[in-house]
Amino acid sequence: MSHSVDEKSSNHDSGVAKVNTGSFDMDKSRRAALAEVDNAKFSWFHAKVCIVAGVGFFTDAYDIFAINIASTMLGYVYGKGGALNTNQDLGVKVATPVGNLFGQLLFGWLADVLGRKRMYGVELMIMIVATFAQALSGHAPSVNIIGAIIVWRFILGVGIGGDYPLSSVISSEFAATRIRGRMMTTVFANQGWGNFCACLVALIVTAAYRHAIVNDTIVNGNLDSIDPLWRLLIGLGCVPGVIALYFRLTIPETPRFTMDIERNILQATADIKAVMAGGSGGADDEIIVQRADVPKASWSDFINHFGKWENGKVLLGTAYSWFALDIAFYGLGLNSSIILQTINFGGKTTPDPQGVYKNLSNICIGNLVLSVAGLIPGYWATFLFVDSWGRKPIQLMGFSVLTVLFIIMGFAYDKLNATAPAQKAFVFLYCLANFFQNFGPNTTTFIVPGEVFPTRYRSTGHGISAASGKLGAIVAQVGFARLRNIGGPNRFVQHILEIFALFMLTGIFSTLLIPETKQKTLEELSNEDQDGFIRGPSRPTRT
């Protein structure tokens, strides 16, 4: 449908309200539209955003951390001596973080170029396909099943990586200022529930196959009955993604993208009114498109913006803080089963019937304990205080406490594992570390990059920060795999904990580079003068 500005009078009788673009104050209209979003009361639409984005993070965490238990199951079936070798274990665990890094950079950039709505759901489809394919992976003369799983987990990581910037930016750009921190925390907190459910499903399938494991081992002398366990554990991860896919594909474009990147002020204003009234927004052919003259994203503009120290230090602060945090978060999260076995919490690792079942069961229970006692409460502690204390104090507190905890666990490692009561003290400290990771930098490093960058670089900046975190996860996983057996099986774990303490200490200093974002609008945080942000209208056109 094509119209010109002069045609507006001919449509007056049709009941369609037209705007006099010649006298229209675009800058004033933009501010009014943003104020409507920033001051909106919490509504069903806000809850829907949290649910739709949160289900994605639930799926992300389930898929990422299920491999922590699944790798032990894979070892019994496909490994020599009942365990994957170091390279195999490293491959299945590090493939997803490597994919995350690429996905975060790619989708972060694409969301700023093509739109949040266009990309939202694409990454979820990648996750669904890759998860299902993992569960169906097979072995053949020319294809090793561990290699096939590694490939699919990399592809899965690309999809998961895209979810980080998209979910963060969409929830921040739709949120009212006073509740933005809690909305974003609610989305991210689903990571804890995804981790918990992965452990719970693993425990259920292990219990369901208990007799098959014992009988098959006694009769056939193998552990083939464990093969369905990891397939069910991994495969069920695509279920919540399938449920959420429709809602992801139908979520409206954020008004800030429409205003500041598509430069369509009138459409954004109409979208805001529709969304606040319970509608879905979307392109309206009866709205005249008059592009605003606003700063546009380009390589030179990116260099000019982040080349200024007041902007560059923020990107440096968010990126390095996430890198330092993920050194420990994924170093522990993807290897908690190894640590549980190291402190004798797991059962026998030799492939005898009762020993196998006991080991798998104890690993599942141990991970459930770590999740319930540390991970999940940490997210919700952040939820309670993020909009009152602020992001920066919580992140500083988290890094500081984690530094102390890792120093204690590392340097007192032998004493904490000398007796059964001492081992309980170690588990308590381990849970405390999980708690302060989430009531601390694990949550705030997700929130802050979704707030502090201009709209045209918000998703790109978040993607760069998140990718830095996954670089830390890769470094941690490779380092853990290569170092942990120095001096004997798992003898170097205590020194790895000491290394984690060092990175937590550096995170304190990088946190000083970021601003406090509580109760500030996204435009205030962009470090760009909003007076005259719109320099005037471009020539009226029609889409």
Side-chain angles (χ1 to χ4, degrees):
M1 188 173 184
S2 178
H3 295 275
S4 68
V5 176
D6 294 335
E7 289 179 292
K8 63 181 182 294
S9 58
S10 66
N11 289 318
H12 179 75
D13 293 336
S14 67
V16 178
K18 296 299 175 182
V19 178
N20 185 343
T21 56
S23 61
F24 180 62
D25 189 338
M26 302 179 79
D27 192 65
K28 183 178 179 180
S29 179
R30 174 178 178 269
R31 293 188 183 210
L34 290 172
E36 193 167 350
V37 174
D38 292 335
N39 299 317
K41 294 181 179 180
F42 187 79
S43 65
W44 164 244
F45 177 76
H46 293 110
K48 179 182 175 181
V49 170
C50 290
I51 294 169
V52 173
V55 170
F57 263 92
F58 175 95
T59 306
D60 296 348
Y62 184 103
D63 292 335
I64 289 174
F65 293 105
I67 198 64
N68 179 32
I69 300 172
S71 63
T72 302
M73 298 173 176
L74 286 166
Y76 280 127
V77 183
Y78 301 105
K80 293 182 179 180
L84 298 179
N85 63 41
T86 300
N87 289 333
Q88 290 174 326
D89 186 70
L90 173 61
V92 297
K93 289 180 179 177
V94 82
T96 302
V98 172
N100 288 164
L101 190 152
F102 285 97
Q104 285 157 345
L105 291 174
L106 176 63
F107 280 92
W109 172 69
L110 287 175
D112 279 339
V113 175
L114 301 178
R116 287 74 160 119
K117 176 181 171 62
R118 288 185 182 179
M119 292 296 101
Y120 213 36
V122 173
E123 87 292 0
L124 194 57
M125 287 188 277
I126 294 173
M127 290 162 56
I128 292 168
V129 172
T131 301
F132 195 64
Q134 281 179 78
L136 298 179
S137 294
H139 197 77
S142 59
V143 179
N144 182 281
I145 188 169
I146 302 301
I149 291 172
I150 289 172
V151 171
W152 284 114
R153 287 198 68 78
F154 170 81
I155 297 171
L156 170 70
V158 173
I160 292 174
D163 204 30
Y164 275 72
L166 282 164
S167 290
S168 175
V169 168
I170 285 174
S171 56
S172 73
E173 291 186 347
F174 274 123
T177 302
R178 69 184 182 282
I179 61 169
R180 189 174 61 237
R182 279 170 285 172
M183 274 189 63
M184 297 178 76
T185 302
T186 300
V187 171
F188 194 63
N190 284 275
Q191 188 180 77
W193 292 113
N195 192 321
F196 172 83
C197 285
C199 302
L200 183 61
V201 170
L203 181 62
I204 292 171
V205 297
T206 298
Y209 279 81
R210 177 177 182 175
H211 295 296
I213 294 170
V214 174
N215 293 336
D216 199 38
T217 307
I218 294 173
V219 175
N220 300 319
N222 59 46
L223 291 170
D224 290 347
S225 292
I226 295 179
D227 195 56
L229 273 66
W230 71 266
R231 295 182 187 275
L232 285 169
L233 173 60
I234 295 294
L236 288 172
C238 70
V239 174
V242 172
I243 294 172
L245 183 58
Y246 169 78
F247 298 99
R248 288 236 169 159
L249 295 174
T250 57
I251 200 166
E253 183 56 86
T254 69
R256 283 181 165 91
F257 178 87
T258 306
M259 276 190 285
D260 291 354
I261 299 179
E262 290 190 330
R263 300 174 292 127
N264 189 344
I265 308 296
L266 292 176
Q267 182 64 61
T269 302
D271 287 347
I272 291 170
K273 291 180 179 179
V275 166
M276 295 305 168
S280 59
D284 185 349
D285 287 338
E286 296 301 328
I287 293 179
I288 297 172
V289 177
Q290 189 171 27
R291 304 294 181 188
D293 183 8
V294 297
K296 299 178 184 179
S298 66
W299 179 244
S300 60
D301 181 69
F302 182 91
I303 295 295
N304 181 59
H305 180 80
F306 289 103
K308 299 175 182 176
W309 175 242
E310 61 267 26
N311 299 324
K313 71 175 183 178
V314 176
L315 182 59
L316 175 62
T318 58
Y320 184 82
S321 295
W322 210 330
F323 173 85
L325 178 276
D326 275 5
I327 288 281
F329 185 75
Y330 281 90
L332 294 181
L334 294 180
N335 297 289
S336 57
S337 297
I338 293 172
I339 294 175
L340 289 170
Q341 289 177 347
T342 303
I343 64 173
N344 299 315
F345 193 86
K348 299 178 182 178
T349 56
T350 54
D352 65 88
Q354 294 299 330
V356 169
Y357 171 76
K358 184 180 179 183
N359 189 45
L360 290 175
S361 179
N362 280 356
I363 287 173
C364 296
I365 294 171
N367 279 283
L368 281 171
V369 170
L370 297 178
S371 180
V372 172
L375 289 172
I376 294 174
Y379 290 111
W380 295 106
T382 300
F383 175 86
L384 292 175
F385 296 105
V386 69
D387 282 321
S388 54
W389 286 9
R391 289 63 150 160
K392 194 170 182 177
I394 291 175
Q395 186 162 311
L396 282 170
M397 175 196 65
F399 272 129
S400 300
V401 174
L402 287 169
T403 301
V404 175
L405 289 173
F406 283 122
I407 287 174
I408 295 172
M409 287 192 293
F411 287 96
Y413 185 84
D414 289 333
K415 292 183 179 179
L416 288 170
N417 289 285
T419 63
Q423 288 172 1
K424 292 179 181 178
F426 182 90
V427 172
F428 172 76
L429 292 172
Y430 194 93
C431 289
L432 208 57
N434 282 330
F435 176 81
F436 280 104
Q437 281 178 329
N438 293 312
F439 185 29
N442 188 43
T443 306
T444 54
T445 53
F446 170 80
I447 295 173
V448 175
E451 301 176 305
V452 293
F453 305 118
T455 301
R456 64 189 182 281
Y457 298 125
R458 186 167 293 125
S459 185
T460 301
H462 194 285
I464 292 171
S465 301
S468 299
K470 292 307 167 285
L471 179 61
I474 295 166
V475 170
Q477 193 56 47
V478 173
F480 198 102
R482 297 303 179 193
L483 297 176
R484 68 184 174 92
N485 291 324
I486 294 177
N490 298 327
R491 283 301 304 157
F492 205 77
V493 168
Q494 65 182 100
H495 301 301
I496 292 175
L497 294 173
E498 295 164 6
I499 294 171
F500 289 168
L502 175 62
F503 279 100
M504 297 304 97
L505 180 63
T506 63
I508 295 173
F509 297 103
S510 63
T511 301
L512 299 176
L513 297 175
I514 66 174
E516 178 50 62
T517 63
K518 71 170 183 176
Q519 306 306 321
K520 292 182 179 179
T521 67
L522 299 181
E523 284 62 46
E524 287 179 281
L525 294 167
S526 69
N527 269 344
E528 293 187 318
D529 188 359
Q530 296 301 299
D531 290 330
F533 183 80
I534 294 180
R535 295 184 288 264
S538 299
R539 186 180 63 178
T541 59
R542 188 75 183 180
T543 56

